[in-house]
Amino acid sequence: MLALTTKTRDRVFAIAPFLNTCIRRLLPICRCIAAGAVLMAVVAGARPAHAEDGYDLWLRYRPLSGESAQAYRASTTRLIAPATSPTQIAARHELLHALTGLLGNAPPTADAVDGDGALVVGTAASSPLIARLKLDTAKIGREGYLIRSVVIDGHAATVIAANDDIGTLYGAFHFLRLLQTNQPLQHLDLRESPRLKLRLLDHWDDLDGHIERGYAGASIWDWHKLPDWLDPRYTDYARANASIGINGSVLNNVRANALSLTPLYLEKAAALAGVFRAYGIRVYLSARFSAPIEIGGLKTADPLDPQVRRWWRGKADEIYKAIPDFGGFLVKANSEGQPGPKDYDRTHAEGANMLADALAPHGGIVIWRAFVYANEKPDDRAKQAYDEFVPLDGKFHDNVLVQIKNGAIDFQPREPFHPLFGAMPKTPQVLEFQITKEYLGFATHLAYLGPLYEETLAADTFARGKGSTVAKVVDGSLYGDKHSKDALTKSRLTGMAGVANIGTDRNWSGSQFDQANWYVFGRLAWNPSASSRAIAEDWVRMTFSNDAAFVTPVVDMMMRSREAVVDYMTPLGLHHLMAHDHHYGPAPWDASGKRADWTPVYYHRADRNGIGFDRSATGSNAVAQYMPPLAQEFGDVKRVPEQYLLWFHHVSWDHRMSSGRSLWDEMVYRYTRGVEQVKQMRATWHGLDGKIDADRYAQVAAFLAIQEKEAQWWRDASIAYFQSINGLPLPAGFAPPAHPLDYYEALSFPYAPGHG
Ligand code: GCV
């Protein structure tokens, strides 16, 4: 209760009769206002009672109305779900919480079916009812689930059944998705199991709260207050991840700080693991290779040194004491100045295996990154990972996976798939995507990454003939189970990792639409063959509205959005033209980096005669790293898909494109088209005003305005620069850049977020 000073209390008592009269007079007016407010809320229909800020992500569970709500109530008349393990409790709680939100009331919990409409959840071990049904759950394996319409004791019911508790939690989220996306609940016969075993978020979060390439505020890990204060946000993070099947979280930046492995920080990581466990999420840590020196007092980190090996074994024992289900280490070694085995003339395999041996007795794994951007200057940076890793195939221990970025350079708006995929048949390969948009406009540009992810996963490596897609390499189906044993499940390890876009912003991801990139990453890690359009539609329905007049244009807009970014930033295979270091905005003129191969001019190679990086046989011959059918296609300037033209070839400005335009005219056309697309996105969004809550609508509208401004900037700066090189006129009808080149060159953003 509010504490009043004596003086204040006396004053309040003195004016009490007056206040009383006022209140009596005001009461009818207030009632009137209140009645009006209720009426307005009813009229507003979908408008939620409290402002939406995006915190609830796709788990909003706002009231459903109309016939479907009636039907859903009839299918959830009671909940029969065990609640003896933390995961069972999480599943039951999520169902009760969600059904209360969606349908107005929580269904009663029960133990037996005594009427139609029961929702029965569990495993054969946890639920006698599920055991009695003798469902065929053998094929769904670990983490999988069935959702089925059944008849129990003469009554219609729905079961969510699995072989383990986490499967029931995943099934519960899927069931809720059916309601959230307005699907019928009759005749259900769904069977799901994850295609990949490791579905990981990599946080590039530093111990001081900064996030490398983070655009959504600071790190959500409040290291200073951990382990004593467990922010409720940790549970919501775990719920959101479990709802899309993510089962691992690498807590700290790959540019790792050795202190993460000290007892102080292990206790904090253990506290997070304690929150995540019920949601099936294991904790992993990025390990600094030189930790034995920095925190172990040793003179070397040589992986073949017995003392070093002993140190890591001891460290692994210590970690597993604190976190019994610790997942393992992620390592960035000998890349961008990070320490690694090559500092001691050892190979990546020798480094990885040393750590793997330390973790093996505990069932842990090592995820060794192939993003090696070493100190020696390569003839073509795109070739480096392949050259270093292919000779090591077969040399990694069974609990090592090699993690490979989707493309050979660095998370560009478009890259051909990385040639390492399919080139190391004896080594499990984790596909690494970036969810945070380091090179795609940070948080303010609307760029749905589903099509980018899908493009990589569907790319054909030809590693074992036609149809050898990256998805099949990554899920191991291309090789069967014979090459490697899994420390976790006794079959080949498989995985996908996404560099997280999560921070302390209320909306988690920096923008409403960037949540969709987290969402689609999780769904594709579960099923790499899923359609990014279908996933976008689920997300829009859950996050905003089921109104078809909203869903269809928004999904269309999302599906076009990444291509728009490609157009206004890096059309036709151009890449890495972003400003130095922070990567915000265009700087194709930049030649100032410490090394030539860290500068945009290295990548576009524009001169008076032409533009593009010759990676064909006449150039760096990076095409030879692809399987022969692709090497031929990519290596032939007449056959290469135009979207990769300047990635693989240096061509003249008057090179004839399939449109009939010259290359230069085509570039100008595409830059301009990108800007036009953003204008259209703004117009589409404008037409949707009133269909969702005002707050989120307004933020998206404001961000789209920023995007248009910056798309124009990208177009104009790029055209101004390339025109200064080729001296060519603009094609007829295309506006010249708004400013001269030196204006763009002079722009400076020393405090752009996300610095490395
Ligand atoms: C964590 C790019 C980014 C770096 C990042 C690196 C990596 O170079 O700009 O910030 O470092 O990739 O993936 O290791």
Side-chain angles (χ1 to χ4, degrees):
M1 217 175 135
L2 211 64
L4 299 178
T5 62
T6 322
K7 218 163 148 194
T8 321
R9 208 169 39 219
D10 289 343
R11 277 196 193 137
V12 171
F13 285 147
I15 58 167
F18 168 69
L19 282 177
N20 221 351
T21 318
C22 289
I23 289 169
R24 257 188 289 119
R25 293 217 174 122
L26 283 172
L27 219 54
I29 305 173
C30 290
R31 279 198 199 110
C32 232
I33 294 171
V38 170
L39 193 70
M40 273 166 66
V42 171
V43 171
R47 298 260 185 205
H50 62 272
E52 299 229 29
D53 56 15
Y55 182 86
D56 294 333
L57 296 160
W58 47 89
L59 302 176
R60 291 164 55 251
Y61 305 138
R62 296 293 190 270
L64 299 170
S65 55
E67 275 173 34
S68 55
Q70 284 299 8
Y72 294 153
R73 279 187 201 105
S75 295
T76 54
T77 55
R78 69 218 73 199
L79 176 65
I80 306 177
T84 53
S85 77
T87 303
Q88 290 169 9
I89 293 169
R92 181 148 125 162
H93 179 263
E94 195 70 32
L95 286 164
L96 291 173
H97 165 64
L99 293 173
T100 307
L102 292 165
L103 305 178
N105 283 310
T109 52
D111 294 323
V113 173
D114 54 5
D116 284 347
L119 178 60
V120 184
V121 184
T123 63
S126 69
S127 158
L129 275 177
I130 302 262
R132 255 175 57 201
L133 287 170
K134 296 200 187 322
L135 297 164
D136 172 23
T137 54
K139 285 209 191 92
I140 57 175
R142 283 180 57 186
E143 301 184 303
Y145 55 85
L146 303 173
I147 304 179
R148 200 172 280 174
S149 303
V150 295
V151 174
I152 302 177
D153 297 336
H155 295 292
T158 307
V159 292
I160 303 174
N163 292 318
D164 44 20
D165 287 345
I166 189 62
T168 64
L169 178 63
Y170 291 154
F173 277 115
H174 189 148
F175 177 80
L176 292 171
R177 187 162 86 226
L178 299 176
L179 278 70
Q180 291 172 280
T181 57
N182 212 9
Q183 306 298 309
L185 294 185
Q186 282 74 45
H187 311 297
L188 292 174
D189 189 8
L190 301 170
R191 174 190 294 267
E192 282 281 340
S193 33
R195 287 248 303 271
L196 303 180
K197 295 196 181 86
L198 307 170
R199 306 177 297 279
L200 310 172
L201 282 187
D202 290 359
H203 290 267
W204 287 357
D205 293 18
D206 296 325
L207 296 182
D208 63 2
H210 171 261
I211 305 179
E212 185 162 345
R213 312 310 175 187
Y215 311 105
S219 172
I220 59 170
W221 318 134
D222 193 344
W223 291 113
H224 187 68
K225 299 197 192 83
L226 280 163
D228 302 315
W229 164 240
L230 295 174
D231 191 325
R233 196 162 190 155
Y234 304 149
T235 307
D236 289 332
Y237 165 89
R239 287 175 52 233
N241 279 325
S243 77
I244 50 177
I246 285 170
N247 66 359
S249 178
V250 185
L251 299 178
N252 59 323
N253 194 352
V254 285
R255 201 189 297 268
N257 185 328
L259 291 180
S260 305
L261 301 176
T262 56
L264 178 71
Y265 282 95
L266 289 177
E267 197 188 358
K268 296 168 192 283
L272 289 174
V275 177
F276 301 166
R277 193 163 290 122
Y279 295 89
I281 298 167
R282 287 185 186 212
V283 153
Y284 296 72
L285 289 172
S286 293
R288 185 160 168 88
F289 200 78
S290 51
I293 302 173
E294 287 154 21
I295 59 168
L298 301 186
K299 294 219 157 27
T300 175
D302 180 348
L304 299 193
D305 183 291
Q307 271 189 310
V308 171
R309 299 178 72 83
R310 202 172 317 119
W311 187 86
W312 279 110
R313 277 201 304 274
K315 187 50 74 182
D317 294 346
E318 184 188 336
I319 294 174
Y320 279 91
K321 223 184 220 159
I323 312 172
D325 56 352
F326 179 65
F329 292 140
L330 173 66
V331 186
K332 169 174 178 169
N334 293 121
S335 175
E336 298 185 318
Q338 294 302 292
K342 297 186 83 179
D343 302 344
Y344 307 95
D345 284 331
R346 312 296 184 198
T347 67
H348 285 289
E350 285 167 325
N353 292 342
M354 181 261 303
L355 295 177
D357 291 349
L359 296 171
H362 308 280
I365 59 168
V366 170
I367 305 173
W368 194 266
R369 294 178 85 227
F371 179 74
V372 285
Y373 194 4
N375 295 331
E376 315 85 58
K377 190 174 157 261
D379 69 325
D380 176 357
R381 179 180 159 195
K383 285 165 49 179
Q384 198 169 340
Y386 183 101
D387 287 345
E388 285 198 37
F389 278 79
V390 168
L392 300 177
D393 191 27
K395 300 215 163 79
F396 290 99
H397 289 176
D398 283 350
N399 56 336
V400 178
L401 300 98
V402 171
Q403 181 161 302
I404 305 163
K405 289 189 181 182
N406 59 290
I409 295 294
D410 196 13
F411 300 137
Q412 296 302 292
R414 168 165 279 124
E415 295 192 39
F417 75 87
H418 202 303
L420 264 179
F421 289 112
M424 299 179 71
K426 298 190 185 116
T427 310
Q429 298 186 323
V430 176
L431 167 56
E432 178 177 324
F433 284 123
Q434 202 175 41
I435 306 174
T436 188
K437 302 203 315 296
E438 175 182 356
Y439 295 102
L440 287 100
F442 296 5
T444 45
H445 292 212
L446 196 164
Y448 172 55
L449 300 179
L452 186 160
Y453 300 161
E454 198 174 357
E455 187 173 290
T456 304
L457 287 161
D460 198 343
T461 67
F462 288 88
R464 292 202 158 181
K466 204 168 159 40
S468 306
T469 59
V470 171
K472 284 190 188 164
V473 171
V474 172
D475 76 9
S477 59
L478 201 63
Y479 309 110
D481 271 347
K482 59 179 177 283
H483 294 294
S484 181
K485 277 196 239 97
D486 173 354
L488 301 171
T489 68
K490 299 277 176 268
S491 63
R492 190 184 176 96
L493 282 166
T494 55
M496 203 159 117
V499 180
N501 64 352
I502 296 164
T504 47
D505 278 10
R506 276 295 292 173
N507 64 28
W508 298 84
S509 300
S511 81
Q512 308 300 333
F513 274 88
D514 279 341
Q515 296 177 358
N517 294 329
W518 175 7
Y519 184 81
V520 69
F521 168 78
R523 293 281 304 273
L524 285 173
W526 180 276
N527 176 7
S529 305
S531 133
S532 65
R533 171 174 275 277
I535 295 171
E537 180 169 336
D538 280 351
W539 178 81
V540 171
R541 288 174 178 276
M542 295 161 83
T543 305
F544 289 116
S545 163
N546 273 309
D547 177 357
F550 181 86
V551 175
T552 310
V554 173
V555 171
D556 285 348
M557 177 173 91
M558 289 169 74
M559 292 304 290
R560 285 196 305 264
S561 59
R562 176 269 189 145
E563 205 62 45
V565 178
V566 172
D567 273 351
Y568 63 72
M569 286 190 186
T570 50
L572 298 168
L574 286 172
H575 50 289
H576 224 308
L577 306 186
M578 294 74 189
H580 183 63
D581 201 17
H582 53 59
H583 299 155
Y584 172 63
W589 49 82
D590 183 17
S592 68
K594 272 191 284 195
R595 294 165 42 162
D597 61 324
W598 290 5
T599 61
V601 293
Y602 168 87
Y603 292 104
H604 64 66
R605 303 188 168 212
D607 58 24
R608 187 137 197 99
N609 301 319
I611 180 170
F613 199 125
D614 185 1
R615 295 193 166 104
S616 74
T618 56
S620 76
N621 205 21
V623 288
Q625 294 184 337
Y626 290 93
M627 295 292 161
L630 281 181
Q632 282 151 22
E633 185 183 328
F634 291 163
D636 181 348
V637 73
K638 295 206 186 70
R639 291 179 57 211
V640 66
E642 283 187 344
Q643 62 190 17
Y644 301 135
L645 178 66
L646 304 178
W647 186 283
F648 289 116
H649 297 276
H650 186 87
V651 294
S652 64
W653 293 106
D654 62 1
H655 175 85
R656 203 47 53 196
M657 303 296 293
S658 61
S659 63
R661 299 183 192 98
S662 70
L663 169 64
W664 170 236
D665 286 2
E666 183 76 21
M667 281 171 62
V668 175
Y669 168 78
R670 294 207 183 201
Y671 281 127
T672 311
R673 184 174 73 178
V675 181
E676 287 309 314
Q677 281 286 346
V678 180
K679 286 185 180 155
Q680 275 188 19
M681 281 157 59
R682 279 188 79 186
T684 302
W685 192 250
H686 187 68
L688 299 170
D689 191 5
K691 292 207 177 296
I692 61 162
D693 52 284
D695 291 356
R696 288 186 302 164
Y697 172 82
Q699 194 194 47
V700 173
F703 283 13
L704 283 168
I706 297 174
Q707 185 173 7
E708 185 186 325
K709 197 170 65 179
E710 295 186 351
Q712 189 73 48
W713 167 33
W714 263 96
R715 173 210 182 262
D716 287 355
S718 306
I719 290 177
Y721 170 70
F722 288 124
Q723 203 174 21
S724 78
I725 302 285
N726 64 22
L728 293 169
L730 289 185
F734 286 86
H739 302 280
L741 177 59
D742 54 4
Y743 165 87
Y744 299 108
E745 287 182 343
L747 296 174
S748 156
F749 305 93
Y751 301 111
H755 271 269

